[in-house]
Amino acid sequence: MVGGGGMGGGLLENANPLIYERSGERPVTAGEEDEQVPDSIDAREIFDLIRSINDPEHPLTLEELNVVEQVRVQVSDPESTVAVAFTPTIPHCSMATLIGLSIKVKLLRSLPSVSRWMCTLHQELMPRSMQDTAPGCVRLDSTGVNKQLADKERVAAALENTHLLEVVTSACQPAPEPGFFAPSHTQGSWPCFLNH
Amino acid sequence: MAAAAALEAVAPTGALWGLVHDFVMGQQEGPADQVAADVKSGSYTVLQVVEALGSSLENPEPRTRARGIQLLSQVLLQCQSLLLEKEVVHLILFYENRLKDHHLVIPSVLQGLRALSLCVALPPGLAVSVLKAIFQEVHVQSLLQVDRHTVYSIITNFMQTREEELKGLGADFTFGFIQVMDGEKDPRNLLVAFRIVHDLISRDYSLGPFVEELFEVTSCYFPIDFTPPPNDPHGIQREDLILSLRAVLASTPQFAEFLLPLLIEKVDSEILSAKLDSLQTLNACCAVYGQKELKDFLPSLWASIRREVFQTASERVEADGLAALHSLTACLSRSVLRADAEDLLDSFLSNILQDCRHHLCEPDMKLVWPSAKLLQAAAGASARACDRITSNVLPLLLEQFHKHGQSNQRRTILEMILGFLKLHQKWSYEDKDERPLNGFKDQLCSLVFMALTDPSTQLQLVGIRTFAVLGAQPDLLSSGDLELAVGHLYRLSFLEEDSQSWVAALEASGALAALYPIAFSSHLVPKLAEELRRGELDLSRGDEPTKRSRHLRCLQALSAISTHPNIVKETLPLLLQHLCRMNKGTVVAETSEVLAVCQSLQQVAEKCQRDPESCWYFHQTAVPCLLALAVQASMPEKEHSVLRKVLLEDEVLAALVSVIGTATTHLSPDLAAQSVAHIVPLFLDGNISFLPENSFPCRFQPFQDGSSGQSRLVALLMAFVCSLPRNVEIPQLNQLMRELVELSCCPSCPFSSTAAAKCFAGLLNKLPAGQQVDEFLQLAVDKVEAGLSPGPCRSQAFTLLLWVTKALVLRYHPLSSCLTDRLTGLLSDPELGPAAADGFSLLMSDCTDVLTRTGHAEVRLMFRQRFFTDNVPALVQGFHAASQDVKPNYLKGLSHVLNRLPKPVLLPELPTLLSLLLEALSCSDCVVQLSTLSCLQPLLLEAPQVMSLHVDTLVTKFLNLSSSPSMAVRIAALRCMHALTRLPTPVLLPYKPQVIRALAKPLDDKKRLVRKEAVSARGEWFLLGSPGS
């Protein structure tokens, strides 16, 4: 079942957002199937971890809403560092902290032991041509959100909160099949129009 | 005499009095059945029972009266068929009168009335009188559930047998029933009550002024909110109630004015199930409603549906919303209009268009798809709706396509267009000029051609699919359009980069070629023929990867368009000539090239199977030609050209086997008989007369010398004879079988001997039971036994044993058990043990070349289950008895058997086998580990309850295996860890911290594919027991 808000008669903060393409499954290379060759952790691998996280508001993934992009994931395997920048769909999105928390949790759960891997998360407000779509909007300070996400104790405390954990948990569940709302660009599966 | 008779009469009556006393005063239950049995056997009459009860029926103590009536009612329930009309009248009068009695008595009275309601002898008029009495005297809802159920049963019985009488009551009956069911709470009773209301409506009882009351008394349960209690013995599901209530609510247009506002209100509610139920009920209503009922509510209904589809996060709400819109539109389209009436369909569609149209102009935004889906749902409802919407939307989309320059935007727009075009396929138009697409044809074609030349693969793909849909519309495209399109498809089929477009282009070519063979054979086949020629020249010049891939594409294109018999007549000779030139050495051929040609031939053969004429054409043309090439290649020559030998390679022969098999399976028996008369003598006698080129330097004697290349061609013989229909007689069968057995145990060439063994098995499987089979079988068994004794051909003898066993197992031959026992015995053989273990995999799996259902082999449906029941006990026993070094063989054999077994069969056997499987997890053999893991994984998903008993062992072993040196084992173990999360959460929670810690290790695996599984497994374990999951 798809989790998150958006049920009921209430209006969404942003009912008709721009939709971006989903990237397909990462093709498996011969090297990956070879027992001997070690595969380093790269940006795509980290991106694959977070791209399917659901937006708390829409039945859409962070990738489809362009909240995260592969180019804004910086990974260094030798140094064991990951840096992810994310941008909420609208600049004053009240969901920013929740989205950040979901990404953080997903990374914490999926990266090899946290002591070895450092992951930093950073909310960027307007890295895209956001000014065009939201003219005259007040630039909000993103430091608040970033501070919260960097603070281990505050993240831990947030996860003690049942309601927050619930939202984060449902965000981390498998996304609906592509093609449900938006055209998918994955191989072989196409939006079905009518299933009568 | 008379005294004796009187005595006889008194004696049973005396016994009756005793029984009655025991029941009424002694509070024993047994006597009731005894009395009923005696009445049934004729020992005494119902009247005598009443007489015996006499005083207790008039007893001042209500409990005693109740008890007395209870006895009578129980007797009546069993004996109502014996009652005479006169008796029934008296009994009814008595019972009706008793309805006024003390409340303790009522349940027994109702039981009696229920018995009487089943009575065939009930005179007219009494049903109505009983019902009136019940309606008047009994306050049903203050009774217990069972007694309320009795009342419903009485009503149901009367409705089944006395419909006319009850209808005579008019609306009073309806009103009486409304009062009976008003306030009912028990789901069991509700199911019956809903059924009664449904019958009231559907059988046309008079509802009179009580329509609204009847609606109220049922709709108060909507939407159904019911969760069956755990371990509910009645087995009533929420869905049962939902469906039976829906049947009531959606049964009549008379409810419409009350129901529609209720549905709108519930669609707007916050509860998902209420939304779904309302949308589905609306959908059901549309089947009986007309314009009149819907008219006033259309704007609100549309608003609600639109909001749900635009906003929902649930796929089901979306689907149900679209389905409801579809039915609404269909309902409006169905109604016949008077000339002066307003066409509601038109205004309804206008509303939809108005609200959705503008979203189609924003192909990047979220609402574009919900809008398109809504429009398409409405357009799919009727030809009229389809015309109205497409004539409005298509020009807009065409315009938008040109307005938006980006490929991904254009792709979205074209994909929407495609959706609308597909809807047009549902309606057929008699008159050619009326077809609404005709006016857009040129614009659509030019748009598709733009898409086909766009650099974006995604846009190309939609373009290809759109063209295929346009092509499927009869008489739409002109020959000019087709020529252009064929040109594009040709270009796309040869696109350099490894994109999906060429695959799609080939598929579309295949579909279109079947419809427009002339366009394809005049515009595409010549181009491909030229391409093939050019390719040959390029190949002979040397190795150039891009040219090679072009050559492959050309072969694939040739096979893809062979979807029409006339095209096959052009493409097949091209492919065969190409193969001949390769064989002659004029073209440098590598194995992969020859294989590619074989694959193309194979695909052509598959496409020919549908049409008997093409099938025979293919067989008659290709099979002799391929055999001739192979025989030619097998001839010993002085100057052994490398090329010739290519045809004799294992892989190439296997490819030829599948071509010949495919070209043979669908032959009609008489044509197959013509062919077999040539081919068997070719192999047995070297009779080469029917081959197209037959001047060879020496004789063809494949069975004479097992070591020569010629013997390898027995595989081709196998392909042919094992694919023949069962009723085709094979000439010289006896000789053939003997030669095959001889060759199968010839140690010089494993390929030839295996082919011979398979061929023997394939033929044996198809022979009708009888002496001949037994003789051949004996022949094989003797050969196997001789071969298995120490010597050079043990493994050949084993292969023969294996294939013969398989042939017999598939057809449930009685001797198959002897052979499987022999095979099981070999598991402890130090030399053949591992091969025997793998042999079980072969026995259980489906072959592709011989012993297949398509090849007309006798394959019984349940052979795996049967093999399992017959052999697993022996395997388990063998395992326990075996020495340590051969134990893995047994485990491996067992896990092969279990792996291939349908899961429902395996589940009941699981408890006994599980311990063995768990032991197999500790076995050091990777193959055993892997196959055990892949056996356990579906079991975890399907039988979590059984598996949860072993959770401790499973967790430990899976975690151990997740650090196995083999990557495949690590992946399988992690998948099992993932599947473990399906076990009941309380069982898992104690392990959660330990597992999460342990799974951190594979997160750091050096292989990405392992890390991926670890991430998803660990993610699931984190979710266990956490809120929101």
Side-chain angles (χ1 to χ4, degrees):
Chain A
M1 199 49 243
V2 182
M7 298 297 296
L11 279 176
L12 305 179
E13 252 186 71
N14 182 9
N16 193 12
L18 237 104
I19 311 275
Y20 290 75
E21 291 185 18
R22 278 190 194 188
S23 36
E25 284 284 301
R26 179 179 194 155
V28 177
T29 61
E32 284 175 341
E33 282 175 340
D34 185 337
E35 299 256 6
Q36 306 310 322
V37 186
D39 313 315
S40 61
I41 294 183
D42 57 13
R44 175 66 202 257
E45 186 168 346
I46 299 299
F47 182 62
D48 276 339
L49 293 175
I50 56 175
R51 71 190 179 93
S52 54
I53 296 175
N54 296 313
D55 182 88
E57 264 203 343
H58 298 280
L60 294 168
T61 65
L62 296 188
E63 179 186 24
E64 284 168 317
L65 293 167
N66 207 33
V67 173
V68 292
E69 285 178 285
Q70 190 176 335
V71 288
R72 290 190 284 144
V73 176
Q74 309 294 330
V75 178
S76 162
D77 197 359
E79 292 164 34
S80 300
T81 54
V82 174
V84 174
F86 71 99
T87 316
T89 46
I90 40 174
H92 50 277
C93 181
S94 59
M95 299 288 170
T97 325
L98 261 181
I99 295 174
L101 201 58
S102 302
I103 300 177
K104 185 95 185 178
V105 167
K106 181 79 189 182
L107 288 177
L108 286 177
R109 289 177 178 179
S110 314
L111 279 173
S113 99
V114 192
S115 54
R116 180 154 100 72
W117 280 82
M118 260 295 287
C119 77
T120 47
L121 201 56
H122 190 75
Q123 184 200 3
E124 292 173 358
L125 282 180
M126 294 205 179
R128 304 181 295 208
S129 52
M130 199 53 88
Q131 285 90 343
D132 309 338
T133 52
C137 108
V138 188
R139 264 180 171 265
L140 278 159
D141 190 15
S142 63
T143 47
V145 174
N146 288 329
K147 226 173 170 178
Q148 284 185 24
L149 291 172
D151 188 336
K152 273 183 193 162
E153 282 169 22
R154 288 179 75 170
V155 169
L159 292 180
E160 297 287 308
N161 178 319
T162 317
H163 175 66
L164 276 181
L165 189 59
E166 200 171 314
V167 178
V168 170
T169 301
S170 60
C172 291
Q173 286 192 349
E177 282 299 300
F180 164 31
F181 284 96
S184 74
H185 294 240
T186 42
Q187 305 157 350
S189 79
W190 296 93
C192 61
F193 294 86
L194 285 169
N195 300 319
H196 299 307
Chain B
M1 279 291 282
L7 204 66
E8 224 167 61
V10 168
T13 334
L16 175 63
W17 281 77
L19 287 169
V20 166
H21 183 83
D22 288 347
F23 185 88
V24 176
M25 308 310 283
Q27 301 289 322
Q28 297 172 17
E29 300 302 323
D33 285 336
Q34 181 62 50
V35 174
D38 290 347
V39 172
K40 256 193 271 184
S41 69
S43 303
Y44 24 81
T45 62
V46 174
L47 181 64
Q48 282 170 318
V49 177
V50 175
E51 278 166 359
L53 277 166
S55 63
S56 35
L57 295 180
E58 285 159 11
N59 195 296
E61 172 56 40
R63 278 173 217 284
T64 311
R65 289 204 303 280
R67 198 70 187 155
I69 296 175
Q70 189 186 347
L71 177 66
L72 181 60
S73 298
Q74 286 189 12
V75 171
L76 290 179
L77 271 174
Q78 296 189 41
C79 311
Q80 35 86 9
S81 56
L82 304 173
L83 292 175
L84 304 172
E85 188 176 314
K86 203 172 70 184
E87 291 171 320
V88 175
V89 174
H90 284 292
L91 285 165
I92 292 264
L93 274 176
F94 167 72
Y95 272 108
E96 273 180 15
N97 190 263
R98 286 300 96 199
L99 281 173
K100 300 191 176 98
D101 201 337
H102 193 275
H103 70 91
L104 283 175
V105 181
I106 300 298
S108 307
V109 176
L110 289 172
Q111 282 300 329
L113 285 171
R114 181 163 80 87
L116 293 166
S117 73
L118 291 165
C119 218
V120 193
L122 191 76
L126 287 188
V128 168
S129 130
V130 168
L131 286 180
K132 271 187 172 166
I134 292 177
F135 292 159
Q136 200 174 343
E137 305 294 342
V138 187
H139 184 243
V140 177
Q141 288 307 320
S142 56
L143 300 173
L144 292 177
Q145 183 269 327
V146 191
D147 304 321
R148 300 200 304 276
H149 196 273
T150 309
V151 175
Y152 296 122
S153 300
I154 295 170
I155 298 174
T156 310
N157 292 342
F158 283 147
M159 283 176 80
Q160 269 162 12
T161 53
R162 319 273 154 178
E163 186 172 325
E164 286 315 310
E165 286 177 46
L166 300 200
K167 280 185 177 166
L169 262 177
D172 287 350
F173 176 53
T174 308
F175 182 67
F177 180 72
I178 291 172
Q179 284 184 316
V180 166
M181 86 165 281
D182 192 3
E184 180 59 62
K185 288 223 167 49
D186 190 278
R188 288 163 285 176
N189 288 351
L190 278 175
L191 280 182
V192 190
F194 289 155
R195 183 74 230 164
I196 293 175
V197 180
H198 182 261
D199 288 348
L200 277 178
I201 296 168
S202 64
R203 299 213 195 138
D204 227 9
Y205 282 79
S206 160
L207 306 186
F210 303 112
V211 174
E212 188 170 0
E213 277 81 357
L214 189 62
F215 174 75
E216 289 299 332
V217 85
T218 46
S219 67
C220 61
Y221 301 98
F222 184 84
I224 294 281
D225 181 21
F226 165 68
T227 321
N231 308 322
D232 175 29
H234 313 298
I236 294 178
Q237 295 299 314
R238 189 165 163 270
E239 200 62 17
D240 302 331
L241 285 165
I242 289 181
L243 291 178
S244 64
L245 176 58
R246 185 174 302 154
V248 169
L249 294 180
S251 61
T252 170
Q254 297 182 74
F255 283 166
E257 55 174 318
F258 316 112
L259 179 60
L260 288 171
L262 178 69
L263 292 180
I264 292 168
E265 181 195 321
K266 297 300 176 190
V267 171
D268 296 356
S269 85
E270 296 277 325
I271 303 157
L272 180 70
S273 60
K275 280 182 198 296
L276 292 172
D277 197 356
S278 307
L279 289 168
Q280 286 163 7
T281 306
L282 175 60
N283 195 347
C285 287
C286 289
V288 295
Y289 286 7
Q291 295 220 357
K292 184 164 72 76
E293 285 77 26
L294 293 172
K295 188 168 187 285
D296 294 338
F297 301 97
L298 283 174
S300 321
L301 286 169
W302 163 240
S304 296
I305 292 176
R306 185 193 59 209
R307 191 199 52 237
E308 289 312 310
V309 174
F310 275 0
Q311 278 198 9
T312 186
S314 151
E315 219 160 327
R316 285 163 62 211
V317 171
E318 189 198 58
D320 286 345
L322 293 174
L325 181 62
H326 180 91
S327 322
L328 271 177
T329 318
C331 177
L332 294 176
S333 310
R334 223 174 23 232
S335 308
V336 183
L337 289 180
R338 286 196 322 267
D340 55 340
E342 178 200 3
D343 184 0
L344 284 178
L345 176 68
D346 202 53
S347 55
F348 184 61
L349 294 178
S350 297
N351 264 337
I352 300 180
L353 282 164
Q354 195 191 341
D355 290 344
C356 293
R357 222 178 109 95
H358 60 277
H359 289 301
L360 302 186
C361 306
E362 300 170 331
D364 290 327
M365 309 301 263
K366 178 192 166 188
L367 289 184
V368 67
W369 278 109
S371 302
K373 287 179 185 178
L374 283 166
L375 286 167
Q376 285 166 2
S382 67
R384 204 145 60 95
C386 192
D387 288 354
R388 172 85 168 82
I389 290 180
T390 36
S391 65
N392 187 301
V393 168
L394 264 190
L396 175 76
L397 288 173
L398 289 166
E399 177 198 308
Q400 290 298 316
F401 186 91
H402 295 289
K403 257 193 194 166
H404 289 87
Q406 289 177 26
S407 298
N408 61 344
Q409 297 170 328
R410 290 188 153 190
R411 189 211 130 156
T412 303
I413 296 169
L414 188 54
E415 197 148 353
M416 289 192 279
I417 294 179
L418 174 61
F420 286 107
L421 293 180
K422 276 185 181 164
L423 291 174
H424 272 274
Q425 294 178 321
K426 281 171 73 172
W427 321 110
S428 58
Y429 296 89
E430 299 282 304
D431 187 352
K432 197 180 161 192
D433 300 324
E434 266 183 30
R435 288 185 195 130
L437 286 183
N438 283 359
F440 298 108
K441 192 264 291 178
D442 290 332
Q443 276 177 285
L444 284 167
C445 281
S446 79
L447 202 120
V448 165
F449 295 144
M450 280 173 83
L452 294 181
T453 45
D454 195 274
S456 151
T457 308
Q458 300 299 333
L459 185 51
Q460 287 170 11
L461 283 171
V462 191
I464 294 168
R465 287 161 58 227
T466 310
F467 192 80
V469 171
L470 285 176
Q473 301 273 344
D475 304 324
L476 182 68
L477 300 177
S478 70
S479 58
D481 300 329
L482 282 166
E483 189 178 341
L484 264 176
V486 167
H488 282 295
L489 290 172
Y490 175 73
R491 181 180 52 79
L492 290 169
S493 307
F494 288 95
L495 269 189
E496 297 272 315
E497 67 266 36
D498 184 31
S499 70
Q500 306 151 15
S501 297
W502 68 272
V503 182
L506 290 187
E507 260 173 45
S509 302
L512 290 167
L515 298 168
Y516 306 101
I518 297 170
F520 277 80
S521 58
S522 54
H523 300 302
L524 192 56
V525 176
K527 278 188 181 173
L528 290 173
E530 195 190 323
E531 181 71 43
L532 200 62
R533 271 293 190 182
R534 203 165 42 223
E536 285 170 11
L537 293 176
D538 290 336
L539 287 176
S540 54
R541 269 189 226 117
D543 191 3
E544 239 183 290
T546 54
K547 296 217 164 124
R548 274 181 194 276
S549 84
R550 230 184 134 72
H551 181 63
L552 286 182
R553 294 280 177 85
C554 183
L555 292 171
Q556 281 158 332
L558 277 171
S559 61
I561 58 167
S562 303
T563 47
H564 191 278
N566 293 347
I567 298 183
V568 175
K569 295 211 165 97
E570 298 182 34
T571 53
L572 179 60
L574 281 174
L575 288 168
L576 290 174
Q577 284 157 18
H578 181 60
L579 199 61
C580 290
R581 284 195 295 271
M582 282 179 152
N583 195 47
K584 284 212 178 97
T586 48
V587 181
V588 181
E590 284 189 5
T591 313
S592 64
E593 316 284 348
V594 181
L595 283 175
V597 183
C598 292
Q599 266 156 19
S600 290
L601 284 170
Q602 157 85 22
Q603 277 158 15
V604 178
E606 278 166 20
K607 295 195 169 93
C608 288
Q609 286 182 338
R610 290 167 225 152
D611 172 38
E613 209 177 306
S614 295
C615 189
W616 178 234
Y617 170 75
F618 187 97
H619 184 86
Q620 206 185 12
T621 316
V623 173
C625 175
L626 295 176
L627 286 173
L629 285 174
V631 171
Q632 174 84 45
S634 71
M635 289 295 154
E637 260 182 298
K638 286 176 205 141
E639 22 142 10
H640 247 328
S641 68
V642 190
L643 315 160
R644 299 249 169 130
K645 297 210 96 175
V646 168
L647 273 184
L648 298 183
E649 284 175 18
D650 292 3
E651 268 181 290
V652 176
L653 280 175
L656 287 174
V657 163
S658 83
V659 177
I660 294 177
T662 314
T664 307
T665 50
H666 285 58
L667 284 185
S668 68
D670 50 331
L671 293 176
Q674 284 184 33
S675 196
V676 80
H678 293 303
I679 292 175
V680 172
L682 167 70
F683 280 85
L684 286 180
D685 315 327
N687 182 349
I688 51 173
S689 58
F690 86 107
L691 298 179
E693 286 183 54
N694 51 16
S695 59
F696 302 119
C698 45
R699 288 200 60 185
F700 179 56
Q701 296 171 312
F703 287 111
Q704 298 312 310
D705 176 11
S707 60
S708 77
Q710 294 192 349
S711 70
R712 300 173 69 85
L713 300 195
V714 170
L716 303 184
L717 174 67
M718 168 199 87
F720 174 71
V721 291
C722 293
S723 307
L724 289 170
R726 247 181 268 173
N727 54 357
V728 174
E729 199 179 329
I730 293 166
Q732 298 170 273
L733 182 63
N734 209 349
Q735 189 196 346
L736 179 61
M737 295 297 261
R738 283 171 202 284
E739 296 282 16
L740 286 170
V741 168
E742 277 311 313
L743 182 60
S744 72
C745 284
C746 174
S748 51
C749 169
F751 182 88
S752 313
S753 57
T754 307
K758 284 162 83 170
C759 188
F760 182 83
L763 290 170
L764 191 67
N765 171 276
K766 285 188 202 176
L767 287 177
Q771 197 194 349
Q772 205 181 19
V773 179
D774 298 341
E775 278 172 25
F776 290 143
L777 195 55
Q778 194 53 47
L779 190 70
V781 170
D782 292 346
K783 195 76 188 169
V784 166
E785 288 307 335
L788 281 178
S789 55
C793 48
R794 286 196 82 201
S795 91
Q796 280 75 12
F798 166 74
T799 309
L800 179 61
L801 169 66
L802 190 59
W803 282 101
V804 171
T805 312
K806 182 163 175 79
L808 297 190
V809 164
L810 289 179
R811 64 181 278 183
Y812 292 179
H813 192 278
L815 284 178
S816 64
S817 61
C818 304
L819 296 181
T820 44
D821 288 348
R822 187 77 181 92
L823 206 59
T824 314
L826 284 176
L827 284 170
S828 54
D829 185 293
E831 190 188 358
L832 293 173
D838 287 333
F840 281 88
S841 156
L842 187 126
L843 287 183
M844 296 295 280
S845 55
D846 291 319
C847 298
T848 53
D849 45 4
V850 288
L851 296 170
T852 60
R853 278 208 184 88
T854 43
H856 311 284
E858 185 167 359
V859 181
R860 304 292 283 265
L861 264 182
M862 315 277 269
F863 81 90
R864 290 191 182 85
Q865 284 90 318
R866 186 156 164 159
F867 187 84
F868 171 82
T869 12
D870 290 352
N871 294 291
V872 163
L875 278 173
V876 174
Q877 209 177 1
F879 168 79
H880 290 300
S883 64
Q884 209 55 42
D885 50 333
V886 293
K887 268 187 196 285
N889 294 340
Y890 285 88
L891 284 177
K892 204 172 189 175
L894 186 69
S895 60
H896 283 312
V897 176
L898 299 186
N899 240 330
R900 304 277 177 169
L901 205 63
K903 295 301 165 252
V905 183
L906 186 48
L907 290 182
E909 308 294 333
L910 196 60
T912 47
L913 290 171
L914 202 53
S915 60
L916 207 64
L917 282 173
L918 294 178
E919 195 158 346
L921 283 180
S922 317
C923 170
S924 59
D925 184 325
C926 271
V927 178
V928 175
Q929 289 169 356
L930 200 57
S931 88
T932 311
L933 287 171
S934 53
C935 185
L936 284 173
Q937 198 230 11
L939 293 180
L940 287 166
L941 302 178
E942 281 159 44
Q945 297 296 341
V946 186
M947 300 299 274
S948 61
L949 302 175
H950 304 270
V951 63
D952 196 68
T953 325
L954 290 168
V955 167
T956 323
K957 300 223 163 161
F958 291 157
L959 285 178
N960 276 342
L961 289 175
S962 72
S963 52
S964 146
S966 149
M967 170 168 132
V969 172
R970 294 203 296 278
I971 290 176
L974 288 168
R975 284 196 181 140
C976 285
M977 278 314 290
H978 189 154
L980 262 184
T981 56
R982 291 291 188 85
L983 267 44
T985 310
V987 179
L988 296 174
L989 281 179
Y991 298 90
K992 185 175 167 180
Q994 172 201 347
V995 169
I996 284 176
R997 250 188 335 255
L999 285 180
K1001 194 170 158 254
L1003 287 180
D1004 213 2
D1005 201 281
K1006 66 175 179 181
K1007 298 306 298 174
R1008 181 169 297 129
L1009 295 175
V1010 180
R1011 294 198 291 266
K1012 197 174 144 203
E1013 297 299 334
V1015 165
S1016 70
R1018 194 166 190 249
E1020 281 303 312
W1021 274 87
F1022 263 111
L1023 292 180
L1024 280 178
S1026 59
S1029 62

